[in-house]
Amino acid sequence: MSQGVRMRPEGSGQALSEAYDTALLDLDGVVYAGGHAIVHAVESLAVARAGGMHLAYVTNNALRTPDAVAVHLTELGIPTGADDVITSAQAVARLISEQVPAGARVLVIGGEGLRVALRERGLEPVESADDDPAAVVQGYGGPELPWGRFAEASYAVARGVPWFASNTDLTIPSGRGIAPGNGAAVEVVRIATGAEPQVAGKPLPPMHRETILRTGAERPLVVGDRLDTDIEGAFNGDVDSLLVLTGVTDGALLLAAPPQHRPTYVDADLRGLLTGQPEVVAGGGGFRCGGWTATAGAERLELDGDGAGLDGLRALCAAAWTAAGEGVCELEAGKALARLGL
């Protein structure tokens, strides 16, 4: 298990798809970006599934329904059923259902994924603050969500109606780059009202609870690209994690990660599920992995060696995280990272 102050990435003598029974995979930035499959994702997931690993797709994006996500993944060549998809809409709907009467009205600021999840819990989605809602729920509604929806939420929240958010990711990856996420929209309502929502999505416990309830995972591995949602969510759930470098996290962000953002394993992409992970070994005042040795100097991280760039990044993480302890590494890392070509 991953809880604690991590000083280096861990190794695994087994392929991760054999060491863990269930992969809890983020979608945006891990499996696809801008609707298109990320390189190596389809083939890697097929091999992991054929070897007996259960694949579950866990997303903070509350816009689409599990059915729609499953259809999209299947079209990409990843056979998926709706039961294999867990969304923050489902997590927030369960959270709301535990605090309002059965059949209560809920003002929805977001997309169809929220409405379907609320109905699954026996709640009635409504569109106006004047519909006497028992709660307000806000989730990602896509780039075309009208500005007036934020005003509708603000009217209800200002009257004291309980406010819930599916997630607070400030950004979301798209085919054209990084776009504002639901967290940015939540900030609009927070500024207008001064209120704070209850949040269900990663990295918070309601999302982890929803995932375990729906998958029955006993030895789960969280797989994600974001430190502040995927990896922190694994930390909060006390489970192991694999960070893939196909999304928003780069080497510099990884080296500066505080303990709750440090993944158990690091790999370039989803091929990392199919292999073991090399050990990072301490010695001689530094850390070795593969053909690389990394040390923390007085002002900067230093790297020597050659071979696979990821081995060097793993060694650098050990040097950076050890130097930082429970804090954030402030040593300059640019030259060391440039040598790795990552």
Side-chain angles (χ1 to χ4, degrees):
M1 292 297 181
S2 61
Q3 197 84 317
V5 180
R6 184 177 302 285
M7 297 304 186
R8 69 189 82 170
E10 292 185 10
S12 173
Q14 291 178 286
L16 298 185
S17 59
E18 298 171 359
Y20 298 91
D21 69 343
T22 305
L24 306 179
L25 295 130
D26 184 46
L27 288 172
D28 291 310
V30 175
V31 178
Y32 56 63
H36 301 288
I38 287 174
V39 64
H40 305 301
V42 174
E43 311 94 292
S44 299
L45 293 174
V47 173
R49 185 190 311 107
M53 189 178 218
H54 178 207
L55 305 180
Y57 302 94
V58 185
T59 177
N60 262 0
N61 190 332
L63 178 60
R64 294 191 295 171
T65 67
D67 283 303
V69 173
V71 167
H72 180 205
L73 288 171
T74 301
E75 289 173 345
L76 293 178
I78 305 168
T80 306
D83 289 345
D84 298 321
V85 180
I86 301 94
T87 73
S88 63
Q90 294 170 323
V92 78
R94 188 186 298 271
L95 188 63
I96 295 168
S97 72
E98 294 169 344
Q99 300 182 41
V100 303
R105 296 178 177 181
V106 179
L107 173 58
V108 175
I109 312 300
E112 186 62 14
L114 278 176
R115 294 178 179 86
V116 168
L118 289 168
R119 293 188 188 104
E120 183 184 39
R121 292 283 150 215
L123 302 171
E124 180 185 350
V126 297
E127 303 300 317
S128 172
D130 297 332
D131 289 330
D132 193 27
V136 177
V137 63
Q138 192 169 356
Y140 183 65
E144 306 305 320
L145 186 69
W147 186 259
R149 301 306 297 155
F150 305 141
E152 210 64 39
S154 298
Y155 300 147
V157 172
R159 295 173 193 162
V161 176
W163 178 29
F164 297 80
S166 63
N167 67 297
T168 52
D169 298 14
L170 291 173
T171 62
I172 187 169
S174 76
R176 298 176 60 193
I178 302 300
N182 191 54
V186 166
E187 285 300 312
V188 173
V189 179
R190 180 185 281 121
I191 290 168
T193 64
E196 292 290 334
Q198 294 186 53
V199 183
K202 296 181 285 186
L204 297 173
M207 188 65 168
H208 183 72
R209 179 182 61 156
E210 191 72 21
T211 300
I212 298 303
L213 285 172
R214 289 180 180 268
T215 65
E218 296 182 357
R219 299 188 317 280
L221 177 70
V222 170
V223 185
D225 70 309
R226 299 183 71 107
L227 301 179
D228 59 348
T229 55
D230 305 314
I231 306 308
E232 185 175 342
F235 177 88
N236 290 339
D238 198 18
V239 299
D240 289 342
S241 60
L242 166 65
L243 178 81
V244 291
L245 300 174
T246 48
V248 301
T249 299
D250 60 15
L253 288 172
L254 182 60
L255 297 183
Q260 70 272 22
H261 290 175
R262 297 172 185 171
T264 315
Y265 311 107
V266 181
D267 223 304
D269 50 55
L270 286 177
R271 288 176 295 178
L273 285 174
L274 309 179
T275 65
Q277 294 284 311
E279 293 283 353
V280 180
V281 181
F287 297 89
R288 298 192 310 278
C289 186
W292 297 92
T293 299
T295 56
E299 297 181 353
R300 64 181 60 85
L301 293 173
E302 299 173 355
L303 185 68
D304 291 306
D306 56 30
L310 276 166
D311 288 342
L313 181 59
R314 295 181 184 106
L316 276 172
C317 286
W321 297 349
T322 299
E326 296 190 20
V328 173
C329 183
E330 297 180 351
L331 298 175
E332 198 278 322
K335 291 183 179 178
L337 286 170
R339 292 197 61 192
L340 300 177
L342 296 173

mmCIF file of all heavy atoms in Angstrom, residues 120-158:
data_model
loop_
_atom_site.group_PDB
_atom_site.id
_atom_site.type_symbol
_atom_site.label_atom_id
_atom_site.label_comp_id
_atom_site.label_asym_id
_atom_site.label_seq_id
_atom_site.Cartn_x
_atom_site.Cartn_y
_atom_site.Cartn_z
ATOM 1 N N GLU A 120 -30.727 7.661 -11.382
ATOM 2 C CA GLU A 120 -30.338 6.343 -10.877
ATOM 3 C C GLU A 120 -30.495 6.281 -9.359
ATOM 4 O O GLU A 120 -30.777 5.213 -8.794
ATOM 5 C CB GLU A 120 -28.888 6.044 -11.268
ATOM 6 C CG GLU A 120 -28.403 4.667 -10.854
ATOM 7 C CD GLU A 120 -26.929 4.440 -11.166
ATOM 8 O OE1 GLU A 120 -26.132 5.390 -10.994
ATOM 9 O OE2 GLU A 120 -26.583 3.333 -11.591
ATOM 10 N N ARG A 121 -30.333 7.405 -8.694
ATOM 11 C CA ARG A 121 -30.462 7.482 -7.239
ATOM 12 C C ARG A 121 -31.864 7.906 -6.801
ATOM 13 O O ARG A 121 -32.096 8.196 -5.626
ATOM 14 C CB ARG A 121 -29.440 8.465 -6.673
ATOM 15 C CG ARG A 121 -28.016 8.004 -6.789
ATOM 16 C CD ARG A 121 -27.676 6.955 -5.757
ATOM 17 N NE ARG A 121 -26.639 6.054 -6.284
ATOM 18 C CZ ARG A 121 -26.567 4.783 -6.036
ATOM 19 N NH1 ARG A 121 -27.481 4.201 -5.275
ATOM 20 N NH2 ARG A 121 -25.602 4.048 -6.530
ATOM 21 N N GLY A 122 -32.807 7.976 -7.731
ATOM 22 C CA GLY A 122 -34.173 8.319 -7.382
ATOM 23 C C GLY A 122 -34.415 9.796 -7.155
ATOM 24 O O GLY A 122 -35.401 10.182 -6.508
ATOM 25 N N LEU A 123 -33.562 10.646 -7.704
ATOM 26 C CA LEU A 123 -33.694 12.090 -7.558
ATOM 27 C C LEU A 123 -34.179 12.699 -8.865
ATOM 28 O O LEU A 123 -33.994 12.134 -9.946
ATOM 29 C CB LEU A 123 -32.351 12.698 -7.148
ATOM 30 C CG LEU A 123 -31.770 12.140 -5.839
ATOM 31 C CD1 LEU A 123 -30.350 12.632 -5.621
ATOM 32 C CD2 LEU A 123 -32.656 12.518 -4.653
ATOM 33 N N GLU A 124 -34.794 13.881 -8.779
ATOM 34 C CA GLU A 124 -35.408 14.525 -9.944
ATOM 35 C C GLU A 124 -34.590 15.740 -10.381
ATOM 36 O O GLU A 124 -34.544 16.745 -9.679
ATOM 37 C CB GLU A 124 -36.831 14.971 -9.625
ATOM 38 C CG GLU A 124 -37.522 15.649 -10.794
ATOM 39 C CD GLU A 124 -38.894 16.194 -10.456
ATOM 40 O OE1 GLU A 124 -39.403 15.887 -9.340
ATOM 41 O OE2 GLU A 124 -39.450 16.939 -11.284
ATOM 42 N N PRO A 125 -33.948 15.679 -11.555
ATOM 43 C CA PRO A 125 -33.206 16.847 -12.052
ATOM 44 C C PRO A 125 -34.161 17.975 -12.447
ATOM 45 O O PRO A 125 -35.210 17.732 -13.066
ATOM 46 C CB PRO A 125 -32.480 16.307 -13.282
ATOM 47 C CG PRO A 125 -32.556 14.821 -13.182
ATOM 48 C CD PRO A 125 -33.820 14.517 -12.446
ATOM 49 N N VAL A 126 -33.810 19.212 -12.078
ATOM 50 C CA VAL A 126 -34.574 20.386 -12.500
ATOM 51 C C VAL A 126 -33.601 21.426 -13.039
ATOM 52 O O VAL A 126 -32.386 21.331 -12.850
ATOM 53 C CB VAL A 126 -35.427 20.964 -11.352
ATOM 54 C CG1 VAL A 126 -36.480 19.947 -10.909
ATOM 55 C CG2 VAL A 126 -34.562 21.407 -10.183
ATOM 56 N N GLU A 127 -34.153 22.437 -13.693
ATOM 57 C CA GLU A 127 -33.333 23.380 -14.441
ATOM 58 C C GLU A 127 -33.289 24.785 -13.860
ATOM 59 O O GLU A 127 -32.482 25.600 -14.293
ATOM 60 C CB GLU A 127 -33.837 23.458 -15.894
ATOM 61 C CG GLU A 127 -33.847 22.121 -16.617
ATOM 62 C CD GLU A 127 -32.451 21.501 -16.693
ATOM 63 O OE1 GLU A 127 -31.487 22.240 -16.978
ATOM 64 O OE2 GLU A 127 -32.333 20.293 -16.438
ATOM 65 N N SER A 128 -34.150 25.095 -12.896
ATOM 66 C CA SER A 128 -34.259 26.477 -12.410
ATOM 67 C C SER A 128 -34.157 26.535 -10.893
ATOM 68 O O SER A 128 -34.640 25.643 -10.181
ATOM 69 C CB SER A 128 -35.589 27.088 -12.864
ATOM 70 O OG SER A 128 -35.799 28.350 -12.250
ATOM 71 N N ALA A 129 -33.579 27.621 -10.402
ATOM 72 C CA ALA A 129 -33.558 27.886 -8.971
ATOM 73 C C ALA A 129 -34.962 28.102 -8.426
ATOM 74 O O ALA A 129 -35.183 27.984 -7.213
ATOM 75 C CB ALA A 129 -32.681 29.097 -8.677
ATOM 76 N N ASP A 130 -35.915 28.392 -9.316
ATOM 77 C CA ASP A 130 -37.304 28.611 -8.900
ATOM 78 C C ASP A 130 -38.109 27.314 -8.822
ATOM 79 O O ASP A 130 -39.305 27.350 -8.524
ATOM 80 C CB ASP A 130 -37.984 29.589 -9.860
ATOM 81 C CG ASP A 130 -37.336 30.959 -9.829
ATOM 82 O OD1 ASP A 130 -36.772 31.323 -8.771
ATOM 83 O OD2 ASP A 130 -37.390 31.668 -10.855
ATOM 84 N N ASP A 131 -37.457 26.166 -9.091
ATOM 85 C CA ASP A 131 -38.134 24.865 -9.032
ATOM 86 C C ASP A 131 -38.073 24.237 -7.644
ATOM 87 O O ASP A 131 -38.325 23.035 -7.504
ATOM 88 C CB ASP A 131 -37.530 23.903 -10.057
ATOM 89 C CG ASP A 131 -37.872 24.279 -11.488
ATOM 90 O OD1 ASP A 131 -38.949 24.858 -11.700
ATOM 91 O OD2 ASP A 131 -37.051 23.986 -12.387
ATOM 92 N N ASP A 132 -37.736 25.026 -6.642
ATOM 93 C CA ASP A 132 -37.670 24.564 -5.254
ATOM 94 C C ASP A 132 -36.744 23.363 -5.098
ATOM 95 O O ASP A 132 -37.124 22.331 -4.525
ATOM 96 C CB ASP A 132 -39.072 24.219 -4.735
ATOM 97 C CG ASP A 132 -39.105 24.042 -3.217
ATOM 98 O OD1 ASP A 132 -38.256 24.648 -2.540
ATOM 99 O OD2 ASP A 132 -39.965 23.290 -2.736
ATOM 100 N N PRO A 133 -35.464 23.469 -5.561
ATOM 101 C CA PRO A 133 -34.547 22.329 -5.432
ATOM 102 C C PRO A 133 -34.095 22.132 -3.990
ATOM 103 O O PRO A 133 -33.965 23.084 -3.213
ATOM 104 C CB PRO A 133 -33.365 22.735 -6.321
ATOM 105 C CG PRO A 133 -33.363 24.234 -6.285
ATOM 106 C CD PRO A 133 -34.824 24.623 -6.225
ATOM 107 N N ALA A 134 -33.836 20.886 -3.638
ATOM 108 C CA ALA A 134 -33.277 20.554 -2.326
ATOM 109 C C ALA A 134 -31.754 20.599 -2.344
ATOM 110 O O ALA A 134 -31.118 20.570 -1.293
ATOM 111 C CB ALA A 134 -33.738 19.164 -1.901
ATOM 112 N N ALA A 135 -31.177 20.639 -3.550
ATOM 113 C CA ALA A 135 -29.724 20.694 -3.690
ATOM 114 C C ALA A 135 -29.387 21.256 -5.065
ATOM 115 O O ALA A 135 -30.220 21.239 -5.987
ATOM 116 C CB ALA A 135 -29.109 19.305 -3.525
ATOM 117 N N VAL A 136 -28.172 21.752 -5.190
ATOM 118 C CA VAL A 136 -27.608 22.192 -6.470
ATOM 119 C C VAL A 136 -26.397 21.313 -6.751
ATOM 120 O O VAL A 136 -25.571 21.097 -5.860
ATOM 121 C CB VAL A 136 -27.151 23.664 -6.417
ATOM 122 C CG1 VAL A 136 -26.511 24.075 -7.744
ATOM 123 C CG2 VAL A 136 -28.299 24.581 -6.057
ATOM 124 N N VAL A 137 -26.293 20.800 -7.969
ATOM 125 C CA VAL A 137 -25.112 20.016 -8.324
ATOM 126 C C VAL A 137 -24.501 20.593 -9.584
ATOM 127 O O VAL A 137 -25.200 20.938 -10.542
ATOM 128 C CB VAL A 137 -25.450 18.521 -8.518
ATOM 129 C CG1 VAL A 137 -26.416 18.291 -9.675
ATOM 130 C CG2 VAL A 137 -24.179 17.705 -8.719
ATOM 131 N N GLN A 138 -23.186 20.711 -9.568
ATOM 132 C CA GLN A 138 -22.454 21.315 -10.669
ATOM 133 C C GLN A 138 -21.409 20.336 -11.180
ATOM 134 O O GLN A 138 -20.623 19.777 -10.411
ATOM 135 C CB GLN A 138 -21.775 22.604 -10.188
ATOM 136 C CG GLN A 138 -21.231 23.471 -11.298
ATOM 137 C CD GLN A 138 -20.809 24.844 -10.788
ATOM 138 O OE1 GLN A 138 -20.993 25.164 -9.612
ATOM 139 N NE2 GLN A 138 -20.258 25.659 -11.669
ATOM 140 N N GLY A 139 -21.423 20.093 -12.499
ATOM 141 C CA GLY A 139 -20.449 19.215 -13.135
ATOM 142 C C GLY A 139 -20.076 19.774 -14.494
ATOM 143 O O GLY A 139 -20.763 20.652 -15.029
ATOM 144 N N TYR A 140 -19.013 19.250 -15.068
ATOM 145 C CA TYR A 140 -18.550 19.748 -16.354
ATOM 146 C C TYR A 140 -19.668 19.652 -17.383
ATOM 147 O O TYR A 140 -20.248 18.589 -17.586
ATOM 148 C CB TYR A 140 -17.333 18.955 -16.826
ATOM 149 C CG TYR A 140 -16.738 19.463 -18.118
ATOM 150 C CD1 TYR A 140 -16.173 20.724 -18.190
ATOM 151 C CD2 TYR A 140 -16.741 18.678 -19.263
ATOM 152 C CE1 TYR A 140 -15.620 21.199 -19.371
ATOM 153 C CE2 TYR A 140 -16.186 19.131 -20.443
ATOM 154 C CZ TYR A 140 -15.637 20.390 -20.496
ATOM 155 O OH TYR A 140 -15.103 20.852 -21.673
ATOM 156 N N GLY A 141 -19.961 20.779 -18.038
ATOM 157 C CA GLY A 141 -21.044 20.818 -19.004
ATOM 158 C C GLY A 141 -20.591 21.021 -20.433
ATOM 159 O O GLY A 141 -21.421 21.249 -21.318
ATOM 160 N N GLY A 142 -19.276 20.967 -20.669
ATOM 161 C CA GLY A 142 -18.762 21.162 -22.015
ATOM 162 C C GLY A 142 -18.565 22.628 -22.337
ATOM 163 O O GLY A 142 -19.043 23.524 -21.628
ATOM 164 N N PRO A 143 -17.858 22.914 -23.429
ATOM 165 C CA PRO A 143 -17.529 24.305 -23.771
ATOM 166 C C PRO A 143 -18.729 25.153 -24.157
ATOM 167 O O PRO A 143 -18.631 26.379 -24.181
ATOM 168 C CB PRO A 143 -16.556 24.150 -24.950
ATOM 169 C CG PRO A 143 -16.862 22.804 -25.520
ATOM 170 C CD PRO A 143 -17.266 21.949 -24.362
ATOM 171 N N GLU A 144 -19.860 24.539 -24.445
ATOM 172 C CA GLU A 144 -21.040 25.309 -24.857
ATOM 173 C C GLU A 144 -22.006 25.589 -23.711
ATOM 174 O O GLU A 144 -23.091 26.132 -23.931
ATOM 175 C CB GLU A 144 -21.788 24.555 -25.973
ATOM 176 C CG GLU A 144 -20.929 24.171 -27.175
ATOM 177 C CD GLU A 144 -20.207 25.369 -27.784
ATOM 178 O OE1 GLU A 144 -20.829 26.456 -27.864
ATOM 179 O OE2 GLU A 144 -19.032 25.220 -28.160
ATOM 180 N N LEU A 145 -21.648 25.243 -22.475
ATOM 181 C CA LEU A 145 -22.548 25.492 -21.346
ATOM 182 C C LEU A 145 -22.803 26.990 -21.214
ATOM 183 O O LEU A 145 -21.867 27.773 -21.075
ATOM 184 C CB LEU A 145 -21.935 24.958 -20.056
ATOM 185 C CG LEU A 145 -22.835 25.014 -18.819
ATOM 186 C CD1 LEU A 145 -23.994 24.027 -18.955
ATOM 187 C CD2 LEU A 145 -22.036 24.713 -17.555
ATOM 188 N N PRO A 146 -24.083 27.425 -21.241
ATOM 189 C CA PRO A 146 -24.373 28.870 -21.210
ATOM 190 C C PRO A 146 -23.970 29.503 -19.882
ATOM 191 O O PRO A 146 -24.100 28.896 -18.808
ATOM 192 C CB PRO A 146 -25.895 28.928 -21.398
ATOM 193 C CG PRO A 146 -26.271 27.617 -22.000
ATOM 194 C CD PRO A 146 -25.289 26.626 -21.447
ATOM 195 N N TRP A 147 -23.521 30.731 -19.945
ATOM 196 C CA TRP A 147 -23.124 31.476 -18.755
ATOM 197 C C TRP A 147 -24.279 31.610 -17.765
ATOM 198 O O TRP A 147 -24.074 31.606 -16.552
ATOM 199 C CB TRP A 147 -22.623 32.854 -19.170
ATOM 200 C CG TRP A 147 -22.055 33.667 -18.048
ATOM 201 C CD1 TRP A 147 -22.671 34.671 -17.368
ATOM 202 C CD2 TRP A 147 -20.748 33.536 -17.476
ATOM 203 N NE1 TRP A 147 -21.835 35.182 -16.408
ATOM 204 C CE2 TRP A 147 -20.648 34.512 -16.449
ATOM 205 C CE3 TRP A 147 -19.655 32.702 -17.726
ATOM 206 C CZ2 TRP A 147 -19.495 34.671 -15.685
ATOM 207 C CZ3 TRP A 147 -18.505 32.871 -16.960
ATOM 208 C CH2 TRP A 147 -18.442 33.835 -15.955
ATOM 209 N N GLY A 148 -25.481 31.674 -18.292
ATOM 210 C CA GLY A 148 -26.648 31.828 -17.429
ATOM 211 C C GLY A 148 -26.850 30.673 -16.466
ATOM 212 O O GLY A 148 -27.511 30.836 -15.429
ATOM 213 N N ARG A 149 -26.293 29.501 -16.767
ATOM 214 C CA ARG A 149 -26.416 28.371 -15.844
ATOM 215 C C ARG A 149 -25.692 28.660 -14.529
ATOM 216 O O ARG A 149 -26.133 28.241 -13.459
ATOM 217 C CB ARG A 149 -25.860 27.090 -16.478
ATOM 218 C CG ARG A 149 -26.526 26.662 -17.768
ATOM 219 C CD ARG A 149 -28.035 26.536 -17.611
ATOM 220 N NE ARG A 149 -28.393 25.496 -16.646
ATOM 221 C CZ ARG A 149 -29.523 25.466 -15.955
ATOM 222 N NH1 ARG A 149 -30.407 26.454 -16.086
ATOM 223 N NH2 ARG A 149 -29.778 24.481 -15.124
ATOM 224 N N PHE A 150 -24.559 29.379 -14.592
ATOM 225 C CA PHE A 150 -23.838 29.731 -13.372
ATOM 226 C C PHE A 150 -24.656 30.703 -12.530
ATOM 227 O O PHE A 150 -24.649 30.628 -11.300
ATOM 228 C CB PHE A 150 -22.472 30.336 -13.698
ATOM 229 C CG PHE A 150 -21.610 29.476 -14.580
ATOM 230 C CD1 PHE A 150 -20.841 30.040 -15.568
ATOM 231 C CD2 PHE A 150 -21.583 28.097 -14.439
ATOM 232 C CE1 PHE A 150 -20.046 29.267 -16.392
ATOM 233 C CE2 PHE A 150 -20.808 27.306 -15.258
ATOM 234 C CZ PHE A 150 -20.028 27.896 -16.238
ATOM 235 N N ALA A 151 -25.360 31.591 -13.191
ATOM 236 C CA ALA A 151 -26.233 32.507 -12.451
ATOM 237 C C ALA A 151 -27.352 31.737 -11.763
ATOM 238 O O ALA A 151 -27.700 32.023 -10.607
ATOM 239 C CB ALA A 151 -26.814 33.552 -13.408
ATOM 240 N N GLU A 152 -27.914 30.732 -12.447
ATOM 241 C CA GLU A 152 -28.992 29.933 -11.862
ATOM 242 C C GLU A 152 -28.498 29.225 -10.597
ATOM 243 O O GLU A 152 -29.184 29.199 -9.565
ATOM 244 C CB GLU A 152 -29.492 28.912 -12.879
ATOM 245 C CG GLU A 152 -30.942 28.531 -12.733
ATOM 246 C CD GLU A 152 -31.894 29.685 -12.983
ATOM 247 O OE1 GLU A 152 -31.649 30.497 -13.892
ATOM 248 O OE2 GLU A 152 -32.886 29.784 -12.227
ATOM 249 N N ALA A 153 -27.299 28.666 -10.663
ATOM 250 C CA ALA A 153 -26.718 28.034 -9.481
ATOM 251 C C ALA A 153 -26.515 29.044 -8.365
ATOM 252 O O ALA A 153 -26.813 28.776 -7.198
ATOM 253 C CB ALA A 153 -25.389 27.372 -9.840
ATOM 254 N N SER A 154 -26.025 30.212 -8.725
ATOM 255 C CA SER A 154 -25.737 31.231 -7.721
ATOM 256 C C SER A 154 -27.000 31.686 -7.000
ATOM 257 O O SER A 154 -26.977 31.906 -5.775
ATOM 258 C CB SER A 154 -25.053 32.440 -8.383
ATOM 259 O OG SER A 154 -23.817 32.057 -8.966
ATOM 260 N N TYR A 155 -28.107 31.817 -7.726
ATOM 261 C CA TYR A 155 -29.359 32.229 -7.088
ATOM 262 C C TYR A 155 -29.763 31.229 -6.000
ATOM 263 O O TYR A 155 -30.154 31.611 -4.888
ATOM 264 C CB TYR A 155 -30.484 32.333 -8.123
ATOM 265 C CG TYR A 155 -30.236 33.314 -9.235
ATOM 266 C CD1 TYR A 155 -30.733 33.073 -10.527
ATOM 267 C CD2 TYR A 155 -29.520 34.483 -9.033
ATOM 268 C CE1 TYR A 155 -30.514 33.959 -11.561
ATOM 269 C CE2 TYR A 155 -29.290 35.377 -10.075
ATOM 270 C CZ TYR A 155 -29.790 35.110 -11.330
ATOM 271 O OH TYR A 155 -29.583 35.983 -12.358
ATOM 272 N N ALA A 156 -29.669 29.940 -6.339
ATOM 273 C CA ALA A 156 -30.089 28.908 -5.387
ATOM 274 C C ALA A 156 -29.126 28.804 -4.215
ATOM 275 O O ALA A 156 -29.543 28.714 -3.051
ATOM 276 C CB ALA A 156 -30.213 27.565 -6.096
ATOM 277 N N VAL A 157 -27.844 28.825 -4.502
ATOM 278 C CA VAL A 157 -26.847 28.686 -3.441
ATOM 279 C C VAL A 157 -26.932 29.870 -2.477
ATOM 280 O O VAL A 157 -26.831 29.717 -1.255
ATOM 281 C CB VAL A 157 -25.431 28.549 -4.041
ATOM 282 C CG1 VAL A 157 -24.374 28.614 -2.950
ATOM 283 C CG2 VAL A 157 -25.307 27.245 -4.826
ATOM 284 N N ALA A 158 -27.148 31.070 -3.024
ATOM 285 C CA ALA A 158 -27.258 32.261 -2.171
ATOM 286 C C ALA A 158 -28.459 32.185 -1.238
ATOM 287 O O ALA A 158 -28.473 32.831 -0.181
ATOM 288 C CB ALA A 158 -27.334 33.509 -3.040
#
